[in-house]
Amino acid sequence: MKKDIIEKSYQLAKKQYSELGIDTAKVLKEMEKIVISLHCWQTDDVGGFEKPGAELGGGGIQATGNFPGKARTIQEMRADLDKVFSLLPGKQRLSLHAIYGEFGGQLVDRDQIEVKHFQGWINWAKKRKIGLDFNCTNFSHPLADDGYTLASKNPRIRKFWVEHVKRCRKIAAEMGRQLGTPSCHNLWIPDGSKDTPVDRYTLRKILKKSLDEIFAVKYPKKYLKDSVESKLFGIGSESMVVGSHDFYVGYTVKNNIMLTLDNGHFHPTEQVGDKISSMLLYIDELMLHLTRGVRWDSDHVLTFNDELLLITQEIIRAKALNRVNIGLDYFDASLNRVGAYVIGTRAAQMAFLFALLEPWDTLVKYEEQGKAFERLSLLELMKTKPYGAVWDYYCMKNNVPVGEDYINEIVQYEKDVLIKRK
Ligand code: RNT
Ligand code: ZN
């Protein structure tokens, strides 16, 4: 896009918003506070590098599609991520899973992983001045095949996974320490039952016990922030998930750790945006896994839709930006994976921008005066305002491709790099 057109469009937009009492310059300053943690697992369809040719196996999460160009090594993964970062405005972090360590061609089992396997990543992140987040990997492993990990009734299996998560938290805390920005450790487990179980109480009691053991080890908050992720159901755990929303709401409130809200993990008509204001009254911080479920928790590429908008609006309206850790979680293997990151991250950033460009004071005034028609009208009108011009200007100021310009860059990368990975 031409610079002068972007500039002129922005100046016009600025005037339009200022008539509504919104200062676009201030909004652009606020955008600097939005840091999005990119999930590393879109590069390789959640395969990981534990062993050569590793594929996702178990846990009921799966990427579908066979678009060429999946990252096969950590080097390829890093190259893809660098390409992604070069096309994004604003600040990012990277979220790693435990299966993405540098294991030097040796099989290091999950209860054996150490900081040294992630030191390369820490150095990589330090060079790029970005923070790292971390996730234990309680799936794609023979000891997860029975469907239970931390909630397993088999003491050997349970112990193995408790040890794994303990080590992951230790690694995450070290990432936070070395990088000078706390690492969010997210715990998601697949534990659940395909058919109706008869002993839910014991299973949940075991999970609680495992979590208590895991979180008994304390780390300074400036290094590590713990989070646990709930889920309604998964493939193979249709009838009951041990770590349900109720389970984790109770656990996080009692222990003041973070709850991860993945918007693919609820009933389709349930609104994750509505949960933010409730949870923030009881816990200090939240974590998000932004995703797009199509009919189920399908983890499609995030897009700028109503569901995402309500989430960003609720964060801005509650003035809670500094209490919400924003992460992405989707994996689509049916299209250019680098492009998938750029679309999804930009969608999240655009949704925050849209939320920041809301005439909140006027809307609240209408609400308090019982002016429901006026409130709804203004909300509808905001959809016609030139937020795209502000977005383009923001991208230009961040020295990244504006508008559709990033499409060609990604197509070029596909030709030069991705297609050649056979
Ligand atoms: C699974 C959870 C979990 C995973 C990642 C890979 O349903 O959403 O967050 O997607 O940990
Ligand atoms: Zn998730």
Side-chain angles (χ1 to χ4, degrees), residues 10 21-33 356:
Y10 172 70
I22 302 158
D23 181 347
T24 52
K26 245 197 201 157
V27 166
L28 291 177
K29 196 100 201 95
E30 280 293 293
M31 282 298 287
E32 286 171 21
K33 295 185 194 154
L356 285 164

Side-chain angles (χ1 to χ4, degrees), residues 229 262 265 289 329:
E229 180 178 5
D262 180 315
H265 290 189
H289 268 186
D329 182 13

Side-chain angles (χ1 to χ4, degrees), residues 222-320:
K222 60 175 180 183
Y223 301 154
L224 176 70
K225 299 197 282 192
D226 283 299
S227 201
V228 286
E229 180 178 5
S230 69
K231 186 162 173 163
L232 176 64
F233 80 93
I235 305 287
S237 62
E238 289 84 353
S239 296
M240 188 262 326
V241 160
V242 186
S244 60
H245 187 58
D246 314 64
F247 176 89
Y248 283 128
V249 166
Y251 197 84
T252 55
V253 169
K254 190 164 182 207
N255 298 286
N256 194 18
I257 59 173
M258 299 194 291
L259 178 69
T260 297
L261 294 170
D262 180 315
N263 59 302
H265 290 189
F266 295 86
H267 282 283
T269 64
E270 218 174 330
Q271 295 176 311
V272 166
D274 181 56
K275 298 176 190 302
I276 292 164
S277 51
S278 295
M279 286 313 298
L280 285 180
L281 286 171
Y282 302 105
I283 56 178
D284 290 342
E285 290 188 34
L286 277 174
M287 206 179 144
L288 296 175
H289 268 186
L290 298 175
T291 187
R292 177 169 52 111
V294 177
R295 304 192 188 281
W296 70 292
D297 183 27
S298 59
D299 286 303
H300 278 66
V301 179
L302 187 64
T303 56
F304 185 79
N305 62 16
D306 282 355
E307 184 166 297
L308 172 62
L309 264 177
L310 185 68
I311 293 171
T312 59
Q313 286 168 326
E314 279 302 304
I315 295 169
I316 299 303
R317 291 165 181 169
K319 304 188 173 28

Side-chain angles (χ1 to χ4, degrees), residues 146-148 190-197 234-241:
D146 290 351
Y148 294 99
D191 300 34
S193 176
K194 182 182 173 85
D195 223 326
T196 312
I235 305 287
S237 62
E238 289 84 353
S239 296
M240 188 262 326
V241 160

Side-chain angles (χ1 to χ4, degrees), residues 39-46 95 97 100 135 329 331 341:
H39 55 313
C40 76
W41 49 95
Q42 165 68 55
T43 55
D44 75 328
D45 314 340
V46 214
S95 182
H97 242 285
Y100 291 88
N135 301 261
D329 182 13
F331 25 96
Y341 276 115

